[in-house]
Amino acid sequence: MDKLSIAGPTRLAGTIRASGAKNAALPILAATLLAEEPVVLHNLPRVRDIRTMDRLLCHLGASSELRDDGALVVRGSADGNPDDAPYELVKTMRASALVLGPLLARRGHARVSLPGGCAIGVRPIDQHLAGLEALGATIELEHGYVTASARALHGARFRFAMPTVGGTENLMMAASLARGTTVLENCAREPEIVDLARLLNAMGARLAGAGEETIVIEGVERLGGCEHTVIADRIEVGTYLIGAAITGGDVTVEQCNPADLAPLLAKLSEIGASVEVAAADATTGRGGRIRVAAGGGLRASDVSTAPHPGFPTDLQAQYLALMTQAEGVAAVCETVFENRFQHVPELLRMGADVRCEGPCAYVHGPTPLSGSHVMATDLRASACLVLAALVAEGETVVDRIYHLDRGYENMELKLQKLGAHVRRIHS
Ligand code: EPZ
């Protein structure tokens, strides 16, 4: 298993470009199963989860081809190999559950392994299944698999028990080919949901309200091909901006959308970092720029994660690392997942002063961190440890960075470009 060796302390400075959003690309790839013609996708991030989803689509009978310009051309298929997303694939990536809606809508049946838990929580898919039943699907759970079938899906009104990103995405895709109108209430509002809606509408679907609490979908007979550019990864961008703040550096990220990071940018300004933005193009959401600079002396400030437009849970671990270097005590509270503080024990080993109580971690800062051997447990916890390593005195070795490779494209190259002393140890 590869490791990252990071020599600290370092001050990050310079300009990098955002990669495409993993969490937009995954549902968008699943949506290609709905199309009767090829779909051309630009700006897909070259990360492990995208390769896993591509493998799953091909297992399901689709075909994909990487063009010289970096675009991926995907040809869905109305039938083909076993309509199942096997446990071997799903256990490595929960987002495999996103093929349920498209398979059901396009082929009338699907068999997908239940994702099982993961490091950050149980993460059930009961809302996905309840929504598909509302559209007329018969759902059976047996031997760790969901088997879903429907002669024809019909429109329905369905209210999610909580805003669920994957649940909203699965239902948007299934309802696109259902007969009649579907009204989804209490939807997730993340920018990745809006990007999926853009793709589906470009394929000929008729969705309105993506990004709001209520989404209305007029079902259509068929969906065609299209060309689409995936939005920038706001979580990747936020990670590097926090890197600028924690190292007292000065980092600019280009080709991103500042509007997608409003809660983080407000928080960085509040704690004393300087934040400059250049807005993205209003229609495409692309071409924006964000610069964060900090000269030390940051102030602690509480944060509570929440579904968009609240502070993203996917930046909680990174922000917690930042608070170890801020003056005062910060309560970092996690309201979305039940077990998303796995990074804390590793930070304690580096010298951080953090006390967990229920849904909150209380971080006392600033505390000097020392380079240590630490272990990544999940994607964003890995990013947190890398950020801590950048300010720690001496060498830090982060183990199990396959977690990192799931969602960060060329992280060590981008960090080296910003002046970090980081190298990958292959093993
Ligand atoms: C998506 O996961 C993201 N993954 C996650 O990013 C992100 O943390 C999460 O949304 C929240 O923003 C992708 O988009 C591929 P949810 P998802 O359904 O869809 C509960 C990363 O680091 N819930 O919005 O699985 C669930 O347990 C990853 O990139 C149910 O109870 O998240 C959780 O507590 C990690 N029943 C909450 O809702 C359901 O049927 C939010 O989950 C569905 C969800």
Side-chain angles (χ1 to χ4, degrees):
M1 280 186 243
D2 286 5
K3 301 176 172 62
L4 273 191
S5 164
I6 299 163
T10 304
R11 180 178 174 278
L12 294 187
T15 300
I16 53 172
R17 180 192 165 114
S19 296
K22 162 181 84 83
N23 290 352
L26 289 171
I28 282 171
L29 281 166
T32 62
L33 289 168
L34 293 163
E36 295 183 12
E37 285 122 23
V39 175
V40 181
L41 298 175
H42 298 277
N43 202 33
L44 288 176
R46 288 181 296 278
V47 295
R48 208 153 63 88
D49 276 7
I50 299 303
R51 293 190 289 275
T52 303
M53 181 60 89
D54 185 31
R55 270 208 328 274
L56 175 57
L57 294 182
C58 295
H59 171 84
L60 293 167
S63 66
S64 67
E65 169 222 341
L66 190 59
R67 280 192 338 202
D68 294 345
D69 63 355
L72 188 72
V73 184
V74 187
R75 292 170 176 78
S77 104
D79 42 40
N81 303 334
D83 300 329
D84 73 338
Y87 178 64
E88 295 63 43
L89 272 177
V90 176
K91 73 180 176 187
T92 65
M93 186 185 65
R94 317 175 32 73
S96 310
L98 291 172
V99 300
L100 250 180
L103 284 176
L104 202 49
R106 183 85 190 277
R107 304 181 185 178
H109 51 91
R111 185 170 176 273
V112 175
S113 165
L114 277 166
C118 81
I120 63 178
V122 175
R123 299 179 73 182
I125 59 168
D126 56 295
Q127 296 297 304
H128 303 229
L129 303 181
L132 293 174
E133 279 181 322
L135 295 182
T138 305
I139 303 282
E140 283 163 19
L141 300 180
E142 52 179 3
H143 311 306
Y145 276 77
V146 178
T147 304
S149 54
R151 226 169 20 74
L153 294 176
H154 56 70
R157 177 181 289 274
F158 178 75
R159 181 176 184 76
F160 290 104
M162 81 293 290
T164 150
V165 173
T168 302
E169 292 165 344
N170 243 330
L171 268 293
M172 286 162 68
M173 294 187 280
S176 293
L177 289 179
R179 281 203 201 109
T181 303
T182 296
V183 179
L184 301 177
E185 296 173 334
N186 198 24
C187 295
R189 303 172 56 193
E190 275 67 6
E192 293 75 28
I193 303 267
V194 178
D195 205 25
L196 174 63
R198 277 199 203 106
L199 169 100
L200 289 168
N201 285 337
M203 286 162 62
R206 295 169 61 195
L207 289 97
E212 301 305 322
E213 283 190 15
T214 301
I215 298 176
V216 180
I217 303 124
E218 302 292 342
V220 295
E221 288 291 312
R222 62 182 294 280
L223 292 173
C226 71
E227 192 145 1
H228 180 82
T229 300
V230 171
I231 57 172
D233 191 322
R234 63 194 168 103
I235 304 303
E236 181 210 30
V237 172
T239 302
Y240 290 108
L241 296 177
I242 290 173
I246 198 173
T247 60
D250 184 345
V251 170
T252 297
V253 182
E254 295 179 329
Q255 292 306 319
C256 62
N257 186 353
D260 289 347
L261 275 166
L264 173 69
L265 300 185
K267 195 48 81 173
L268 289 176
S269 301
E270 184 192 325
I271 66 173
S274 88
V275 178
E276 293 166 28
V277 303
D281 175 283
T283 43
T284 64
R286 288 203 303 279
R289 193 175 60 248
I290 306 171
R291 178 179 178 187
V292 168
L298 296 177
R299 297 179 297 276
S301 176
D302 298 351
V303 112
S304 214
T305 65
H308 195 77
F311 190 94
T313 174
D314 292 349
L315 286 174
Q316 176 261 104
Q318 300 91 314
Y319 183 79
L320 197 153
L322 175 59
M323 286 298 101
T324 68
Q325 304 308 306
E327 182 70 41
V329 181
V332 180
C333 301
E334 175 58 57
T335 72
V336 176
F337 290 107
E338 66 268 25
N339 184 32
R340 202 167 196 177
F341 287 126
Q342 310 260 319
H343 37 289
V344 170
E346 298 302 296
L347 286 176
L348 294 177
R349 294 183 56 245
M350 297 177 76
D353 179 352
V354 185
R355 182 173 44 81
C356 287
E357 244 177 62
C360 299
Y362 297 90
V363 190
H364 290 241
T367 46
L369 301 181
S370 60
S372 316
H373 275 229
V374 291
M375 190 167 74
T377 51
D378 61 81
L379 172 55
R380 306 305 174 183
S382 321
C384 158
L385 297 176
V386 169
L387 294 175
L390 291 171
V391 290
E393 186 63 42
E395 182 190 25
T396 296
V397 176
V398 183
D399 204 346
R400 298 191 178 181
I401 57 158
Y402 60 83
H403 290 292
L404 212 54
D405 295 335
R406 297 188 54 174
Y408 286 95
E409 185 177 40
N410 296 329
M411 180 176 247
E412 63 262 38
L413 299 182
K414 293 192 179 187
L415 286 174
Q416 285 162 0
K417 188 158 188 270
L418 294 173
H421 304 291
V422 54
R423 65 188 171 84
R424 181 178 286 257
I425 304 168
H426 296 286
S427 59

